């Protein structure tokens, strides 16, 4: 089993859209701090990648990197996949139920109508050139329908490419993969790493953010393409077992559970 | 430099979201949350500081809605914000879940403009450990008027 390194990129989407730049609006994380990654939580992450052999010199499998984007100030990616679609549908269902009960009672007050209108919300379509978004009801950052174009939940940023020195030097071989992943909508970018040439290699991540604009009385998602940089530090240290700090072997578990 | 637009006069429609990025595995292994907690908010343009540390200082104003949520670095490990202790004269956070899920977030309204930074305490549940983890360092809410006094 290849060693999987997760690299999470958190984007301050609101600021990035305003300044049209990811400079100062990107925070990088990986789960390799214990192996020596530096700059975790900042814009200057250097992800450590140890070699692909064990202490005894035997061959280990390749290192695999996975990039996972997230938007600051949005519904977190821990909610179930399809959450936004499910919520939009649930709101529609509730609206219809309320509408039905209103007509059954006969009288319709202004307050009820206003409440229903709020539930109906607004829908945005995608621009012709856009990708990755389907037309959907607008939800706010707490998962409720909204008709305000200033309160909507920013869609998750989409990585569209990974380029740069690490790629041209053939240190990483990035590609986008699809999987029945429960968290990141089934698409993710991953790369295997050539660890035979130690050094620090920079790479560029191409990101698409989405902005909601009103055009001809219609709401349209417009894509905004930006880039940000990070780097990998390939070292020749052997791969270590995260539990023992040594190579492969038995985990440090007592043969018999402690008496208690 | 990002242009300083009307942000200071305009009341944001979205809540000021404070996101706690937690590395639960590292925190559980080291029993130290301080080194494995990274706080961010969406109010950088208004002057929030301490991004990426447990000592985030969020710049807020009376009437702002605050929203705290969590982003775990390991999606397989459970992390939840279990409590927020803050002076109730400033804010009274309430626990909510994203509709249709059991994913927790907390919200509160800032009750008054702040002249001094108000520290608060966050508590998290990690993995299957039943005792909440709390960082020693304290994040704080700060008003616009203490600008310059603190020097950070």
């Amino acid at each position: 089993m290849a060693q999987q390194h997760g690299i999470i990129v958190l984007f301050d989407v609101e600021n990035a859209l305003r300044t049209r730049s990811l400079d100062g609006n990107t925070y990088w994380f990986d789960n390799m701090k214990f192996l020596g990654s530096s700059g975790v939580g900042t814009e200057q992450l250097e992800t450590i990648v140890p070699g692909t052999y064990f202490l005894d010199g035997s061959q280990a499998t390749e290192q695999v990197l996975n990039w996972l984007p997230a938007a600051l100030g949005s519904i977190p990616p821990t909610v179930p996949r399809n959450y936004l679609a499910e919520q939009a549908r649930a709101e529609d269902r509730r609206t219809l139920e309320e509408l039905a009960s209103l007509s059954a009672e006969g009288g319709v007050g202004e307050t009820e109508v206003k409440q229903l209108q709020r539930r109906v919300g607004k829908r945005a379509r995608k621009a012709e050139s856009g990708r990755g978004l389907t037309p959907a009801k607008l939800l706010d950052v707490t998962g409720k329908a909204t008709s305000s174009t200033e309160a909507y939940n920013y869609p998750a940023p989409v990585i569209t490419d990974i380029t740069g020195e690490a790629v041209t030097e053939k240190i990483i071989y990035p590609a986008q993969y699809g999987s029945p992943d429960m968290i990141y909508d089934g698409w993710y970018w991953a790369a295997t790493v050539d660890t035979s040439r130690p050094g620090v290699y920079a790479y560029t991540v191409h990101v698409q953010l989405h902005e909601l604009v009103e055009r001809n009385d219609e709401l349209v998602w417009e894509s905004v393409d930006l880039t940000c940089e990070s780097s990998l530090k390939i070292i020749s240290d052997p791969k270590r077992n995260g539990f023992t700090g040594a190579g492969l072997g038995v985990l440090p578990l007592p043969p018999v559970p402690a008496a208690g | 430099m990002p242009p300083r637009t009307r942000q200071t006069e305009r009341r944001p429609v979205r809540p000021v979201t404070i996101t706690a990025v937690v590395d639960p595995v590292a925190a559980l292994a080291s029993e130290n949350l301080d080194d494995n907690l990274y706080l961010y908010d969406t109010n950088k343009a208004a002057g929030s500081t301490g991004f990426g540390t447990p000592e985030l200082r969020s710049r807020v104003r009376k009437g702002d809605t605050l929203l705290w949520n969590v982003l775990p670095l390991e999606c397989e490990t459970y992390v939840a914000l279990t409590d927020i202790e803050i002076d109730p004269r400033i804010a009274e956070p309430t626990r909510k879940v994203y509709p249709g899920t059991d994913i927790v977030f907390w919200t509160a309204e800032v009750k008054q403009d702040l002249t001094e930074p108000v520290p608060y305490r966050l508590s998290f549940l990690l993995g299957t450990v039943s005792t909440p983890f709390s960082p020693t360092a304290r994040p704080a809410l700060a008003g616009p008027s203490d600008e310059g006094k603190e020097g950070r």
Side-chain angles (χ1 to χ4, degrees):
Chain A
M1 166 85 192
Q3 190 161 341
Q4 303 272 338
H5 293 195
I7 300 176
I8 292 180
V9 201
L10 181 62
F11 297 99
D12 187 338
V13 178
E14 188 163 340
N15 250 348
L17 287 176
R18 197 175 56 234
T19 60
R20 287 296 194 262
S21 166
L22 291 177
D23 287 348
N25 299 318
T26 313
Y27 308 105
W28 295 74
F29 305 87
D30 67 31
N31 48 9
M32 294 296 121
K33 197 153 95 169
F34 77 103
L35 283 177
S37 286
S38 61
V40 178
T42 73
E43 220 171 342
Q44 281 90 37
L45 174 71
E46 200 175 81
T47 299
I48 201 104
V49 187
T52 49
Y53 62 95
F54 294 109
L55 280 171
D56 62 0
S58 61
Q59 178 71 52
T61 49
E62 76 274 21
Q63 303 283 1
V64 176
L65 304 174
N66 297 297
W67 285 269
L68 307 167
L72 181 65
S74 290
I75 297 173
T78 37
V79 298
R81 183 184 170 181
N82 295 338
Y83 180 71
L84 294 173
E86 291 287 338
Q87 259 322 99
R89 228 171 283 149
E91 290 267 339
D92 279 347
R93 216 163 34 233
R94 275 196 290 272
T95 314
L96 286 173
E97 277 163 18
E98 275 181 33
L99 201 58
S101 68
L102 277 185
S103 55
E105 284 161 21
V108 180
E110 201 181 328
T111 345
E112 284 93 344
V113 174
K114 284 239 167 77
Q115 199 183 344
L116 285 172
Q117 279 171 337
R118 204 168 48 240
R119 279 262 176 81
V120 170
K122 276 194 176 176
R123 273 165 204 281
R125 64 179 191 86
K126 67 175 182 181
E128 267 98 64
S129 58
R131 52 187 273 196
L133 283 177
T134 45
K137 188 195 277 279
L138 287 187
L139 296 183
D140 72 9
V141 294
T142 62
K144 295 204 183 94
T146 179
S147 52
S148 163
T149 53
E150 291 190 43
Y152 66 91
N153 179 62
Y154 287 110
V158 178
I159 296 177
T160 54
D161 203 359
I162 295 176
T163 59
E165 187 194 5
V167 181
T168 50
E169 290 289 321
K170 300 196 189 309
I171 294 295
I172 57 172
Y173 295 82
Q176 190 178 32
Y177 295 88
S179 89
D181 179 286
M182 299 208 314
I183 307 278
Y184 285 95
D185 219 22
W187 294 102
Y188 66 98
W189 278 80
T192 46
V193 189
D194 174 359
T195 52
S196 67
R197 285 174 289 157
V200 176
Y201 299 91
Y203 64 92
T204 303
V205 173
H206 300 249
V207 182
Q208 191 169 76
L209 305 180
H210 295 92
E211 186 172 44
L212 197 59
V213 294
E214 212 156 355
R215 197 193 296 142
N216 302 331
D217 291 334
E218 228 182 356
L219 288 175
V220 182
W221 288 113
E222 283 207 334
S223 52
V224 178
D225 292 289
L226 300 168
T227 60
C228 53
E229 278 210 2
S230 187
S231 59
L232 302 174
K233 187 177 183 183
I234 316 291
I235 56 169
S236 55
D237 288 10
K239 200 177 255 196
R240 283 194 290 139
N241 182 317
F243 293 98
T244 61
L248 283 182
V250 194
L251 288 176
L253 298 174
V256 201
Chain B
M1 263 306 274
R4 291 215 163 216
T5 48
R6 296 156 296 160
Q7 186 74 12
T8 42
E9 295 96 53
R10 198 163 57 95
R11 168 108 22 232
V13 182
R14 289 187 188 86
V16 175
T17 301
I18 299 170
T19 294
V21 180
V22 183
D23 186 341
V25 176
L28 285 166
S30 62
E31 295 191 351
N32 175 347
L33 185 56
D34 284 67
D35 288 345
N36 299 297
L37 173 66
Y38 310 87
L39 297 177
Y40 300 90
D41 73 31
T42 52
N43 233 10
K44 196 178 196 178
S48 293
T49 55
F51 284 76
T53 75
E55 289 181 316
L56 174 74
R57 184 162 299 190
S58 300
R59 206 55 81 176
V60 297
R61 290 182 304 157
K62 182 182 175 185
D64 279 354
T65 304
L66 306 179
L67 188 155
W68 287 267
N69 62 17
V70 177
L71 183 65
L73 278 192
E74 294 274 347
C75 55
E76 291 93 352
T77 312
Y78 178 76
V79 184
L81 189 54
T82 184
D83 197 17
I84 301 174
E85 288 167 55
I86 186 167
D87 186 341
R89 287 168 300 176
I90 308 299
E92 289 180 90
T94 50
R95 181 186 181 277
K96 292 187 180 162
V97 293
Y98 292 100
T101 74
D102 55 1
I103 311 281
V104 173
F105 66 93
W106 290 70
T107 62
E109 190 177 316
V110 180
K111 291 182 180 174
Q112 51 175 282
D113 274 324
L114 308 173
T115 49
E116 292 290 326
V118 176
Y120 59 94
R121 184 184 154 99
L122 296 171
S123 299
F124 298 88
L125 279 177
L126 305 181
T128 53
V129 179
S130 55
T131 323
F133 284 72
S134 213
T136 323
R138 294 271 182 275
L141 300 181
S145 55
D146 75 318
E147 209 157 11
K149 267 196 233 170
E150 295 292 319
R152 30 176 291 154

